[in-house]
């Protein structure tokens, strides 16, 4: 449905198509072939002769970085996609998309390289924070909202990574072997839903192979399924460096090979046409999609853009804060123990349970004193590692957020434990710039750095600097420590480095290539400590890191990537935990913030376990033993093991919560806002319980041997019980489910807010086939629909939830088509997968 200011009707499309065809008719083969290969890292070639501007793209799952890796032009940083999915609200996702479109327009970006709609097949996927969860229906719905929102703002999207790019290990070469049924029912399903419901203007094909064919050349899945069956009419762009063959890519339906200027298209494509290897008509078809995209975003002269007036301006900070608390998932909230109890939980002298009140620990009672601990509370990690990184102009940490919340003086803080015991890119206390010189030592240019990490890709270089002339980069500036003691300094990256701290050279040497197989691992992998320097808190010292470029260590892309890394003084871990325990013992409530790091969750590699890094588990256990009212805030983009979860009063999952995460956390802990999230992915107690875990290929192949059983489907089949089920999440009010009426198309659910405050409930509808229904094994239950419903105290609301027809269907591998399965079903209205409130029987003829 067209929004105000959107020209999505037949007349607008016809006008654009007429301009596209006229422009295409004016182009010769060389110009057409050039258009299909990137001009540089983030743009396509302009063609002034037809009034075509250069189309600019940018990474954009949680914020729009633009074409420069710099903090000089900051970006709004929204919560991670897992957090957006945890809100279970496509309308909210649409609002997020509109904000990102607003950011894109501000930065001169036409197309966002998002959303990621690959599934959480195994909990070990290292990039899961950038995806929406394990269920194809939920993923498709949230992805649809995101795409609609971005395109409401006249900006394109590229739904990615098409398809079965569900892990990072050997992602450039892995051949994922997926049978037709799971491919259709699971991995293609979110893409299909988005194509049919949001008509995206772009899609990105993945690095990996599927059943022996690399995705940039997959004629069957791209031309026959994506374009033929689903009617996709947008641009198909490769993941960066994914295209391998000129003729194969064109025949496989790839429109644009990125990045440029060296690609398999361009001159190579024109030569292939002239040699008779590919038809020029196939080139025309690809160019047509590029021109159509340009017309839609207003970059083709004479074509009316799809959006004539963008949506009303959106307050980015306010929306980031709302998205954060709407995505927080409260998975545990026990009854508060009496503040006056003379014996704390876990004390050896404890002989009986303390007196309990009727109120849960959260929200905190007015006047509650709080002992906050965890290094992640002070140095917040608000987004995952890899290409999705952006640089907000501010970040509200949990410490910042709680310190600003009333009452004044009710908060204490102790580090307690750090999630990382290795150096990380220089941040807090550093003021840095990068100076670029040629081989003769002449200054070419300089630029500011958001931290100690240099990551310049393609033309993303300081003004006046080119890759051809660049011979060295020196990171220079100052460091003002906040702690007295021995500070560790080091490097991350490949090549020659000279590191100077406080006027003395502490390292002069070369870092060689290790065992890494992915560029993200090689350039952003293990930091190396080079020296420890005694420094005094508050006393500023000069620092520099000179990196000389060497062809031996050159990346396959034109890139400069290395880091100045730092770690503050190491203190005895037991001493740090003891300090946090003392603070916790003296407070009404203890709040412990634990987190993963970019060495745990990032693009480029998968996880090997689900354990929290460092001594964080020990910190939680010790604090919980000292204070029965311990709240643990888990700052991770996807599941982690929580061996202490039954020993603490409350557990709140905040994902990677974006720039306003600390403010949203204060809102939720104090009760100003309700934690609105429900789990978009099953949370195992331990990795060994998870039914599907493999992410490592064998002889280049990764077999999806579990078929259509991943996520809760696999948990049901295995008979195992997770720590927290799919869809689980607690709020601050209570709900009665009053009635359920269901037919083959719709389930109507009436619920009442039985609590004393306003709230929001995510009504989930699952469909369970009778065991005898169908000739093939089916999941015991599948999500068939959902709705986000708000109501005031005592208010009753009714919602009609459309049931997905696909919940009644299976992919018949013999017929190569969908088959509707008649028979007996049970429709379940639920608060979560394992908390069913109402059921009705449904017989389908």
């Amino acid at each position: 449905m067209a929004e105000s200011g959107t020209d999505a009707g037949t007349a607008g499309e016809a006008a654009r198509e007429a301009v596209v065809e006229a422009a295409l008719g004016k182009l010769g083969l060389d110009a057409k072939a050039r258009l299909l290969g990137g001009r540089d890292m983030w743009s396509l070639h302009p063609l002034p002769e037809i009034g075509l501007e250069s189309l600019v793209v940018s990474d954009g799952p949680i914020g729009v970085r633009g074409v420069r890796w710099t903090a000089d032009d900051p970006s709004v940083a929204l919560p991670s996609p897992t957090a957006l999915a945890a809100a279970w609200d496509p309308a909210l996702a649409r609002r997020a998309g509109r904000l990102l479109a607003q950011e894109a327009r501000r930065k001169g970006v036409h197309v966002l390289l998002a959303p990621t709609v690959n599934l959480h097949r195994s909990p070990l996927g290292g990039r899961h924070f950038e995806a929406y969860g394990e269920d194809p229906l939920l993923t498709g719905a949230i992805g649809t909202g995101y795409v609609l929102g971005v395109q409401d703002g006249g900006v394109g999207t590229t739904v990615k990574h098409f398809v079965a790019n569900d892990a990072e290990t050997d992602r450039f070469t892995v051949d994922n072997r997926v049978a037709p049924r799971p491919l259709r029912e699971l991995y293609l399903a979110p893409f299909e839903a988005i194509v049919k419901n949001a008509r995206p203007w772009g899609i990105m094909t993945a690095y990996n192979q599927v059943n022996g064919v690399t995705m940039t050349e997959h004629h069957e899945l791209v031309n026959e399924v994506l374009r033929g069956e689903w009617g996709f009419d947008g641009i198909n762009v490769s993941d960066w460096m994914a295209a391998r063959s000129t003729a194969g890519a064109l025949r496989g339906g790839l429109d644009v090979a990125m990045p440029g200027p060296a690609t398999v298209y361009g001159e190579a494509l024109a030569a292939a046409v002239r040699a008779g290897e590919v038809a020029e008509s196939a080139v025309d078809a690809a160019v047509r999609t590029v021109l159509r995209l340009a017309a839609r975003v207003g970059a083709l002269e004479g074509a009316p853009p799809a959006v004539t007036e963008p949506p009303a301006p959106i307050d980015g900070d306010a929306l980031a804060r709302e998205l954060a608390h709407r995505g927080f998932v409260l998975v545990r909230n026990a009854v508060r123990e009496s503040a006056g109890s003379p014996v704390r939980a876990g004390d050896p002298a404890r002989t009986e349970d303390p007196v309990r009140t009727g109120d849960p620990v959260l929200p905190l009672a007015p006047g509650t004193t709080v002992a906050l601990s965890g290094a992640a509370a002070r140095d917040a990690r608000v987004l995952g590692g890899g290409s999705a990184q952006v640089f907000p102009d501010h970040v509200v940490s949990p410490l910042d957020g709680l310190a600003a919340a009333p009452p004044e003086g009710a908060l204490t803080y102790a580090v307690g434990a750090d999630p990382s015991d290795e150096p990380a890119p220089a941040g807090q206390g550093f003021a840095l710039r990068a100076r670029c010189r040629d081989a003769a030592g002449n200054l070419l240019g300089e630029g500011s750095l958001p931290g100690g990490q240099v990551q310049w890709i393609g033309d993303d270089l300081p003004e006046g600097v080119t890759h051809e002339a660049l011979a060295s980069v020196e990171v220079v500036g100052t460091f003002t420590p906040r702690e007295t003691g021995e500070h560790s300094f080091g490097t991350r990256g490949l090549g020659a480095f000279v590191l100077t701290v406080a006027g003395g050279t502490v390292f002069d040497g070369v870092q060689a290539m290790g065992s890494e197989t992915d560029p993200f691992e090689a350039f952003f992998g293990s930091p190396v400590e080079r020296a420890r320097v005694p420094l005094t808190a508050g006393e500023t010292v000069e620092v520099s890191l000179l990196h000389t470029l060497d062809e031996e260590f050159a990346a396959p892309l034109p890139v400069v990537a290395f880091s100045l890394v730092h770690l503050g003084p190491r203190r005895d871990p037991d001493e740090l935990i003891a300090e946090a325990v003392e603070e916790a013992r003296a407070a009404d409530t203890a709040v412990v913030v634990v987190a993963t790091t970019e060495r745990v969750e990032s693009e480029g590699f998968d996880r090997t376990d689900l354990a929290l890094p460092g001594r964080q588990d020990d910190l939680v256990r010790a604090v919980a033993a000292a204070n029965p009212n311990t709240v643990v805030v888990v700052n991770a983009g996807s599941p982690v093991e929580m061996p202490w979860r039954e020993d603490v009063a409350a557990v709140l999952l905040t994902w990677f919560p974006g720039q306003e995460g600390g403010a949203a956390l204060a809102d939720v802990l104090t009760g100003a806002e309700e934690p609105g999230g429900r789990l978009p992915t099953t949370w195992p107690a331990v990795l060994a319980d998870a039914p599907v875990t493999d992410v490592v290929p064998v002889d280049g192949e990764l077999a999806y041997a579990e078929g259509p059983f991943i996520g809760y489907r696999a948990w049901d089949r295995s008979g195992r019980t997770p720590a927290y089920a799919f869809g689980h999440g607690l709020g601050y009010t209570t709900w009665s489910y009053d009635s359920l009426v269901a037919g083959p198309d719709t389930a109507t659910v009436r619920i009442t807010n039985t609590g004393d405050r306003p709230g929001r409930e995510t009504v989930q509808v699952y469909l369970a086939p009778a065991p005898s229904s169908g000739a093939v094994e089916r999941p015991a239950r599948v999500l068939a629909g959902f709705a986000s419903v708000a109501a005031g105290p005592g208010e009753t609301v009714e919602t009609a939830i459309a049931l997905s027809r696909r919940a009644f269907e299976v992919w018949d591998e013999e017929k190569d088509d969908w088959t509707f399965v008649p028979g007996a079903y049970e429709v379940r209205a639920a608060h979560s997968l394992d908390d069913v409130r109402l059921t009705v029987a449904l017989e389908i003829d």
Side-chain angles (χ1 to χ4, degrees), residues 7-88:
D7 175 17
T10 303
E13 290 181 358
R16 282 189 290 277
E17 287 299 301
V19 176
V20 165
E21 292 302 321
L24 178 61
K26 298 176 182 177
L27 295 177
L29 174 60
D30 292 316
K32 290 185 288 191
R34 185 168 68 254
L35 181 59
L36 301 183
R39 179 176 70 165
D40 52 30
M41 186 61 58
W42 307 114
S43 69
L44 303 187
H45 292 277
L47 295 177
E49 62 268 33
I50 58 170
L52 176 66
E53 300 175 24
S54 174
L55 288 170
V56 178
V57 305
S58 171
D59 288 309
I62 59 101
V64 183
R65 187 175 62 247
V67 300
R68 299 292 305 279
W69 192 269
T70 175
D72 291 342
D73 182 16
S75 308
V76 174
L78 300 180
S80 64
T82 42
L84 187 61
W88 287 61

Side-chain angles (χ1 to χ4, degrees), residues 681-748:
T681 196
T682 306
W683 207 277
V686 294
L687 176 62
D689 289 346
V692 180
T693 59
D694 57 319
V695 293
V696 179
V698 177
D699 296 327
E701 295 184 357
L702 182 62
Y704 284 37
E706 68 283 348
F709 296 93
I710 67 169
Y712 63 85
R713 294 163 166 83
W715 284 91
D716 281 346
R717 190 189 195 198
S718 71
R720 303 170 191 170
T721 301
Y724 301 109
F726 178 79
H728 174 65
L730 308 173
Y732 286 162
T733 187
T734 55
W735 300 87
S736 68
Y737 278 58
D738 306 326
S739 66
L740 167 65
V741 178
D745 302 313
T746 308
T748 302

Side-chain angles (χ1 to χ4, degrees), residues 482-711:
R482 58 189 176 189
E483 297 170 285
T484 296
E486 280 196 333
H487 288 253
S488 297
F489 293 84
T491 63
R492 185 169 70 173
L494 305 176
F497 296 98
V498 178
L499 176 61
T500 303
V501 180
T505 298
V506 295
F507 175 75
D508 186 346
V510 176
Q511 177 65 40
M513 185 76 172
S515 60
E516 300 90 349
T517 60
D518 188 290
F520 275 97
E521 281 191 287
F523 287 94
F524 308 116
S526 300
V528 181
E529 180 182 309
R530 303 300 186 183
R532 297 187 184 183
V533 181
L535 299 175
T536 303
E539 293 187 7
T540 300
V541 296
E542 293 186 350
V543 296
S544 74
L545 177 63
L546 174 63
H547 176 48
T548 303
L549 306 185
D550 189 329
E551 284 296 323
E552 178 184 351
F553 303 108
L557 295 171
V559 58
V560 180
F562 68 96
S563 300
L564 166 64
V565 298
H566 166 262
L567 181 67
R570 291 172 171 86
R571 292 183 54 198
D572 180 82
D574 292 329
E575 182 181 308
L576 290 175
I577 291 174
E579 289 177 357
V581 166
E582 287 306 305
E583 297 289 357
R585 186 173 283 117
D588 297 327
T589 299
V591 176
V592 184
V593 180
V594 297
T596 60
T597 70
E598 69 170 5
R599 298 279 286 125
V600 175
E601 292 187 88
S602 178
E603 179 180 354
F605 54 87
D606 291 311
R607 295 194 278 178
T608 57
D609 59 49
L610 301 182
L612 285 167
R615 295 283 302 278
Q616 295 181 103
D617 286 335
D618 294 338
L619 172 65
V620 173
R621 291 188 184 99
V623 169
N627 190 325
N629 300 318
T630 293
V631 177
V632 182
V633 177
V634 181
N635 187 187
S638 51
V640 295
E641 292 176 357
M642 301 182 292
W644 33 258
R645 68 186 188 283
E646 299 296 333
D647 301 324
V648 301
V651 180
L652 181 67
L653 312 179
T654 61
W655 315 103
F656 295 138
Q659 66 180 48
E660 304 296 326
L665 178 62
D667 291 340
V668 165
L669 294 185
T670 61
E673 299 288 353
E674 184 180 40
R678 306 292 184 263
L679 287 179
T681 196
T682 306
W683 207 277
V686 294
L687 176 62
D689 289 346
V692 180
T693 59
D694 57 319
V695 293
V696 179
V698 177
D699 296 327
E701 295 184 357
L702 182 62
Y704 284 37
E706 68 283 348
F709 296 93
I710 67 169

Side-chain angles (χ1 to χ4, degrees), residues 767-774 778 808 821-827 840-845:
L767 190 70
S772 60
S773 294
R778 303 173 68 188
F808 297 93
V821 183
Y825 290 85
E826 189 173 78
V827 180
V840 296
L842 183 64
E843 189 73 29
I844 300 294
D845 297 327

Side-chain angles (χ1 to χ4, degrees), residues 77-306:
L78 300 180
S80 64
T82 42
L84 187 61
W88 287 61
D89 189 346
L92 186 66
R94 189 167 189 169
R95 289 172 57 205
R98 286 181 168 182
L99 171 63
L100 294 176
Q102 175 179 296
E103 286 280 279
R105 292 194 307 271
R106 180 176 66 81
K107 289 174 175 273
V109 169
H110 300 103
V111 181
L112 295 186
L113 304 175
T116 300
V117 298
N118 302 113
L119 298 182
H120 291 194
R121 173 179 168 268
S122 161
L124 292 176
R127 201 177 180 180
H128 281 344
F129 59 87
E130 198 178 311
Y132 293 134
E134 69 187 33
D135 182 77
L137 179 78
L138 177 61
T139 294
I142 301 302
T144 293
Y146 174 100
V147 170
L148 287 172
V150 174
Q151 293 180 177
D152 284 344
V155 174
T157 58
T158 55
V159 188
K160 64 182 188 181
H161 307 84
F162 190 73
V163 62
N165 184 181
D166 309 298
E168 294 294 281
T169 304
D170 294 344
R171 60 178 176 161
F172 293 98
T173 58
V174 62
D175 182 7
N176 293 322
R177 310 298 293 194
V178 194
R181 185 183 169 203
L183 188 60
R184 290 285 189 158
E185 293 183 13
L186 295 176
Y187 305 104
L188 286 171
F191 292 94
E192 180 182 12
I194 294 169
V195 167
K196 292 183 175 179
N197 297 323
R199 296 187 62 210
W201 300 344
I203 204 155
M204 181 189 290
T205 41
Y207 292 118
N208 54 279
Q209 301 175 59
V210 172
N211 300 328
V213 182
T214 189
M215 280 308 306
T216 52
E217 301 175 23
H218 215 302
H219 174 84
E220 177 188 356
L221 293 180
V222 173
N223 289 331
E224 296 180 12
V225 176
L226 175 64
R227 296 196 191 280
E229 290 183 28
W230 302 346
F232 174 69
D233 69 351
I235 186 175
N236 172 20
V237 60
S238 73
D239 205 339
W240 268 226
M241 299 289 292
R244 297 164 174 84
S245 161
T246 300
L250 192 67
R251 294 192 193 106
L254 183 69
D255 298 321
V256 172
M258 289 295 287
T263 79
V264 298
Y265 285 167
E267 293 181 1
L269 179 56
V273 172
R274 292 185 173 108
E277 297 173 11
V278 293
E280 188 169 356
S281 60
V283 175
D284 289 346
V287 171
R288 189 174 285 112
T289 68
V290 178
L291 297 177
R292 181 179 295 129
L293 173 63
R296 285 169 167 166
V297 301
L300 181 61
E301 186 177 319

